[in-house]
Amino acid sequence: MAVDLKARLAHVELPNPVLTASGCAGSGRELAQFFDVAKIGAVVTKSVMLAPRAGRPAPRMAETPSGMLNSIGLQGPGIDAFLQRDLPWLLSRGARAVVSIAGSTVDEYAELATRLSDASGLTAVEVNISCPNVEDRGQVFACDAGAAAAVVAAVRGRLRYDVPLFAKLSPDVTDIVSIAGACVAAGADGLSMINTLLGMAIDTRTMRPALAGLTGGLSGPAIRPVAVRCIWQVHEAFPDVPIIGMGGVRTGRDAMELILAGASMVSVGTVIFHDPSACLRILRELEEELAAGGIDRLADVIGLAHEPGRMPGRRLSGSVL
Ligand SMILES: Cc1cc2nc3c(=O)[nH]c(=O)nc-3n(C[C@H](O)[C@H](O)[C@H](O)COP(=O)(O)O)c2cc1C
């Protein structure tokens, strides 16, 4: 049975719902030696800042049980090199590009949006707000509804109206629904969640922190239940707002879990480091999972876990209800 896997990134249609997660596949070039990057829903690029950045000192990765800590620190070429070199390459491969941006001030985000408004071929912009605001004692934008909304409004105001804006939320907050609501009210067309959780590891041999940057972002399967919870809560509050779900997805079944919680697309991150073709495999497994449940449209299962009485698909509606 052919499953209709089409997904909607706000008003933009994607052939399927599997995306890369920002920072885990550069700008797609590294993945292209393993599979055709035009085959997945979209490539979400590493968050780009205005100026080139070297990132934080090494060691900047540490393994943890079912997860990984990283303190890469947004290393990257800066927006000019990205627009001259990386984006055209991605588009030349026929891939859809979701460009992730990050800044240290609201004005920096606005300037990035201005530069992007001249670029053609963007599928969407994902605004990574898990960055310290240098104008507010390093308080992370995503942890304060007002600051998160200020960034979203500034970017929305400069971006071309037809380019969807997704705000990427941090799980390190007391009430993710209020941050989500503030972003939507400020003009976000959709939400991406979750970014990494702040963590730390200490090397008991050296008796020192494992990462040179002391703290790092926790990702991988260990965080999937947190992602499911965040997506569930936000979808419950804003059922019409599209969500790109991410956090510990390793298999098609994991992707399905996020979709049942309310995600309409799924980004794949940490697993790419040991299985570079994971996005294509997960896409295939997701299709098999849906087909096995007698479900012929992905759209029918988005947020389905919220509706205990409804079962989609030919086989399930006949046999289970
Ligand atoms: C090495 C690494 C680098 C990352 N860089 C970024 C980034 O530049 N921008 C961003 O929004 N998220 C970044 N993330 C977070 C991922 O996009 C994703 O939200 C998170 O890792 C959860 O998904 P996962 O468990 O599948 O990796 C990074 C994650 C990792 C592991």
Side-chain angles (χ1 to χ4, degrees):
M1 181 175 92
V3 179
D4 176 358
L5 288 169
K6 286 196 284 300
R8 294 197 78 79
L9 204 51
H11 52 274
V12 175
E13 188 174 271
L14 302 181
N16 65 67
V18 177
L19 284 57
T20 59
S22 179
C24 299
S27 294
R29 228 182 265 258
E30 294 82 352
L31 288 191
Q33 54 186 308
F34 299 99
F35 67 91
D36 176 0
V37 286
K39 288 225 164 90
I40 58 172
V43 172
V44 182
T45 60
K46 166 94 189 151
S47 296
V48 65
M49 301 193 74
L50 263 187
R53 265 168 72 115
R56 291 164 94 179
R60 32 191 212 174
M61 300 273 218
E63 283 202 38
T64 60
S66 295
M68 183 179 111
L69 279 170
N70 91 81
S71 63
I72 307 289
L74 297 183
Q75 175 180 347
I79 189 73
D80 291 336
F82 173 81
L83 289 174
Q84 276 156 25
R85 192 187 61 202
D86 298 330
L87 184 60
W89 179 87
L90 204 46
L91 299 177
S92 76
R93 304 299 290 243
R96 288 152 295 277
V98 175
V99 176
S100 170
I101 57 172
S104 314
T105 63
V106 173
D107 285 349
E108 245 180 78
Y109 282 99
E111 182 56 29
L112 282 159
T114 304
R115 308 271 183 106
L116 286 176
S117 65
D118 295 333
S120 54
L122 293 189
T123 293
V125 168
E126 188 177 81
V127 187
N128 174 6
I129 50 176
S130 292
C131 304
N133 177 358
V134 295
E135 292 172 335
D136 185 15
R137 299 160 287 122
Q139 157 95 302
V140 172
F141 291 100
C143 296
D144 178 81
V151 171
V152 170
V155 172
R156 186 68 279 172
R158 306 282 185 102
L159 211 55
R160 276 196 357 224
Y161 74 94
D162 57 337
V163 176
L165 182 167
F166 276 64
K168 183 162 178 181
L169 306 186
S170 165
D172 287 337
V173 294
T174 312
D175 179 9
I176 197 159
V177 173
S178 65
I179 310 280
C183 290
V184 171
D189 301 287
L191 301 164
S192 301
M193 67 186 81
I194 55 173
N195 214 318
T196 52
L197 287 105
L198 195 62
M200 184 170 181
I202 293 175
D203 183 334
T204 49
R205 281 175 306 112
T206 62
M207 302 189 185
R208 294 289 177 274
L211 297 173
L214 305 184
T215 59
L218 181 64
S219 63
I223 72 168
R224 201 172 73 246
V226 181
V228 174
R229 185 267 298 171
C230 291
I231 294 166
W232 173 281
Q233 289 179 327
V234 170
H235 183 74
E236 185 79 21
F238 308 107
D240 298 326
V241 174
I243 295 173
I244 305 177
M246 72 276 295
V249 171
R250 261 178 326 178
T251 65
R253 191 165 287 181
D254 298 342
M256 179 86 158
E257 189 184 7
L258 268 51
I259 292 166
L260 289 168
S264 28
M265 287 140 292
V266 171
S267 276
V268 174
T270 302
V271 69
I272 292 179
F273 293 111
H274 60 90
D275 176 8
S277 315
C279 289
L280 265 197
R281 174 181 54 74
I282 289 168
L283 177 58
R284 193 183 62 242
E285 290 170 355
L286 176 63
E287 185 170 14
E288 286 166 3
E289 191 76 25
L290 290 165
I295 296 152
D296 40 26
R297 275 184 359 133
L298 169 84
D300 290 342
V301 292
I302 296 169
L304 189 78
H306 295 255
E307 304 172 52
R310 187 168 74 83
M311 294 299 280
R314 294 189 293 262
R315 191 143 40 92
L316 286 183
S317 56
S319 64
V320 177
L321 283 183

